[in-house]
Amino acid sequence: MDYRKEYTRWCALAKGLDADVEQELAAIRGEEEKIQDAFYRDLAFGTGGLRGVIGAGTNRMNVYTVAKASQGLANYVRKRFAAADRRIAVSRDSRIKSDLFAETAARVFAANGIDVYMYEDIMPTPCLSFATRALHCAAGIMLTASHNPSKYNGYKVYGADGCQITTEAAAEILAEIEALDLFADIRMTEFEIAGIRDTAEANVSVAHSVTTPVMLETATADATSTEKEAASSHSATAAVDMDAPATGHIFWIGEAVYTDFVENVKKQSVLGPDDSIDRNVAIVYSPLNGTGRAPVTRTLRECGYTNITLVKEQEMPDGHFPTCPYPNPEIKEAMALGMDYAKRVQADLLLATDPDCDRVGIAVRRADGSYQLLSGNETGILLLDYILAQRTKHGTLPKDPVMVKTIVTMDLGERIAAHYGVETINVLTGFKFIGEQIGRLEKEGHPERYVFGFEESYGYLTGSYVRDKDAVDGALMICEMFCFYKTQGISLLDRLQALYAEYGYCLNTLHSFTFEGSAGFEKMQKIMQNFRTDVPNAFAGKKVEKVLDYLPGLDGLPKSDVLKYLLSDHCSVVVRPSGTEPKLKIYISISAENQAAAEACEATIAAELGERMK
C-alpha cells in the first residue's frame, strides 16, 4: 500500500461522518512517521474481527474501517443466507465511539437489505452471543476492545451459532472486505428505529422498501488539486455494484431477550435441594466502567446475594477508564481501587469484570484481614472442582462429560477432570475454540456433555446457552462457590491448597512484551522465527523434551502461530503473538514440590526468555 497516496485520498474523501477523523488527518499533515503508521496497512481482520487504536487511517478503528468491515460482512451474509434469514445482532460496550461504530454498522447492514437487532443500551459480549442465537440471526457483531486501554476499540464478529467466527468464515469475510473500496463501495442508509423485537418471527409484519443507498464517497470541493487527483483516479477504476437491495430495518432488542439471558445464567447453579448456604457475604463489585453493572448486580441479587458494595468511581460506563488505564482484571493495578473498597468495608469477596463483561477477576480475604488476588487459572480450577463435585454428588453429570480448556491453561485442570471421570479437550488460545467444541457437541446431538470451559485469561462458561466466556455466569458461580465453602468454614484459599495437596503444586504465569507500530510488528515476526530456528536445549536447566509448533496445524487444530516447549518435570513454555494487541505473550507452567521452588524456577525461565525479547 502506498501510504502517502492513501493519506492524500483520505484527506479528500473522509468527510462528513466523523469530525475527529478530519481533524486528525489535518493534524498529522507533514508528520511522515505518524502518516506511515496510520496508513501502511489495513487493520487486520481475523477470527477476532478488528481491533486497533481509534483514529484516522486504514490501520485504525474509525467509522470508515468499521463501515468497510460491515459491508464485507453484509456481502457475506447476502451470499450465504436467504433473504428471510438475513438478520444481524449488534451490541456495544462503553468504549469511546462504540455507539457511533454500532450505529454505522447498523446503517450499512440495513442499506444492504439486512434487518438489524440492536441493544439500545450497552450490553456485555455474552448478551450479544445470546441474542444472535435467540433471534436466529445470520451473524452478530460486538463493538468492543475487551480489556485493552481506552485508546483501543474493536469489532468482534459472531456466526449464526453465537460463536466467534471460524478461521474459514473469517477468510471468506476478509475476501469480501478486501474487494471493497472504503469510500466508493459502501452502502449506508439513515439510522431509524422501526420498533422493538423480542423474537425473529415478529419481524415478518414489517414490509421492506427499496431505496437508493447513500454511498460513502463524498464531494471534493474543498480538497487540494493533489487530493482531487488521488480521489478521481481511484473512482474511475472502482467496480461498484449499484443494484440496490431492499432496505432492511433496525430494531431495538426487547427486554424479554435480556431477561431470558439472565434466567439462563441463573439456571447454571449446581446447588441441590439439600444444600443450605449462607448468602449473606459482603461483596465488593467493580464493573471497571464497563457493561457489567446492570446484568451482574441483577443476577446476583435475584439469586440472593444482596450485600453488594459497588466501587463508585468505576460503577458507571466511561470509555476513558479514568481510574484504571488498563481495565483488565488480570492486572493488579486495575483491581487496586476495588481492593481499597474491600478493606474499607471488610468485604469477604471482591469481584471485577472487564469492560465487555466476559472476564471476571477476584480477590478473597485472608485470615489476617489482608486480601489475595487469585489468578484465572486458580479460579478456574476451583470452579471446575466445585462444579464437578456438586454434579457428582447430585447425580447430574451427563454421560461422557467433557471439559474444554486452552493449551495455555493450567494442566492441573486436566488431572482434576480425570478424577471425576470427565474428558478434557485442549484447544487453541481463544474462547471461540471452546465455543466451537460446544457447537460440535450440539451437532452431534449432545450439548449436555459440555460441563465447563475455562481459559487462563479469566474466562469461564458453565453452560451452552452462549458460545463465549461469560463474566455474569462467572460472577454468579464464584459467589455460589464462595458461600458454599464459607458455610462449611472453608475459605477458597483453603480449598485451593487442598487441591494442590491432592494433585501437586502448579504455578502458571503470563509475561507480555509490547511491540508498537510497523517496526514492532516486524520485530515480533523475527523473534517468532528465531524461536523456531534457534530452539533452546533447556530453560533454567529443565530440558526441552519436545517442541509443538502449531503453525502448520497440529492435533487437528487450526493453523496458529504458537510454539509450545514441553520441558522435563511436567513444565512447559508457550510463546505466541497476541491476536488482538501488538504483544508477544509467554506462558510459563511450573510443577514443583512447593510454591517457593516453583517461583524460583519460574523467575529464572522468565529472565532467560526476556533476553530473547531484546
Side-chain angles (χ1 to χ4, degrees), residues 279-525:
R279 292 178 172 84
N280 187 29
V281 298
I283 300 166
V284 167
Y285 169 56
S286 172
L288 296 180
N289 300 119
T291 60
R293 181 179 65 94
V296 170
T297 57
R298 172 179 171 176
T299 303
L300 292 181
R301 286 174 174 141
E302 289 183 8
C303 290
Y305 307 96
T306 58
N307 187 2
I308 304 170
T309 299
L310 285 161
V311 178
K312 186 174 180 59
E313 296 89 338
Q314 298 171 344
E315 177 182 359
M316 301 309 294
D318 186 344
H320 293 92
F321 311 119
T323 62
C324 52
Y326 291 85
N328 182 355
E330 297 177 72
I331 299 174
K332 183 178 180 180
E333 289 75 14
M335 303 288 282
L337 191 55
M339 296 273 274
D340 289 343
Y341 265 71
K343 294 171 186 174
R344 195 181 312 162
V345 302
Q346 288 295 290
D348 299 297
L349 176 66
L350 166 65
L351 301 169
T353 54
D354 68 339
D356 66 326
C357 197
D358 61 356
R359 302 168 191 245
V360 56
I362 72 170
V364 294
R365 188 167 59 181
R366 298 186 182 99
D368 64 2
S370 62
Y371 289 84
Q372 180 172 327
L373 292 166
L374 296 188
S375 71
N377 276 310
E378 290 169 334
T379 304
I381 62 172
L382 283 166
L383 283 170
L384 173 65
D385 176 71
Y386 169 70
I387 290 166
L388 296 185
Q390 283 291 95
R391 294 193 66 172
T392 298
K393 181 175 74 173
H394 296 300
T396 58
L397 268 182
K399 182 182 179 182
D400 302 322
V402 170
M403 182 273 284
V404 190
K405 72 175 191 66
T406 63
I407 59 174
V408 299
T409 298
M410 186 181 282
D411 293 331
L412 184 58
E414 193 162 351
R415 300 201 287 274
I416 294 171
H419 173 79
Y420 292 98
V422 175
E423 176 190 357
T424 296
I425 297 176
N426 286 288
V427 297
L428 293 176
T429 307
F431 216 90
K432 57 182 169 285
F433 296 111
I434 296 177
E436 284 180 9
Q437 291 299 317
I438 303 174
R440 178 184 64 82
L441 294 171
E442 185 176 57
K443 288 178 182 177
E444 294 172 357
H446 297 288
E448 78 285 350
R449 289 182 59 200
Y450 172 82
V451 293
F452 188 59
F454 77 111
E455 59 182 2
E456 48 73 39
S457 55
Y458 295 57
Y460 319 103
L461 180 64
T462 63
S464 59
Y465 60 99
V466 294
R467 298 299 156 82
D468 209 341
K469 53 186 176 286
D470 181 5
V472 185
D473 170 43
L476 173 64
M477 295 307 296
I478 288 165
C479 288
E480 177 178 302
M481 173 178 65
F482 182 92
C483 292
F484 177 85
Y485 288 127
K486 186 174 186 293
T487 302
Q488 301 175 45
I490 301 170
S491 74
L492 289 188
L493 297 178
D494 293 335
R495 185 61 197 150
L496 185 61
Q497 291 306 312
L499 291 177
Y500 288 145
E502 184 172 358
Y503 299 102
Y505 187 82
C506 188
L507 173 67
N508 281 54
T509 61
L510 167 64
H511 300 265
S512 296
F513 299 84
T514 301
F515 299 89
E516 297 278 7
S518 57
F521 179 75
E522 292 179 7
K523 186 171 183 178
M524 278 198 298
Q525 291 181 313

Side-chain angles (χ1 to χ4, degrees), residues 35 49 74 81 93 202 227 252 335 356 409 477 482-483 499 501 539 553-554 571 590 611:
I35 293 171
F81 291 84
D93 69 2
E227 290 168 350
W252 293 135
M335 303 288 282
D356 66 326
T409 298
M477 295 307 296
F482 182 92
C483 292
L499 291 177
F539 290 102
L554 191 65
C571 300
I590 304 296
E611 288 298 313

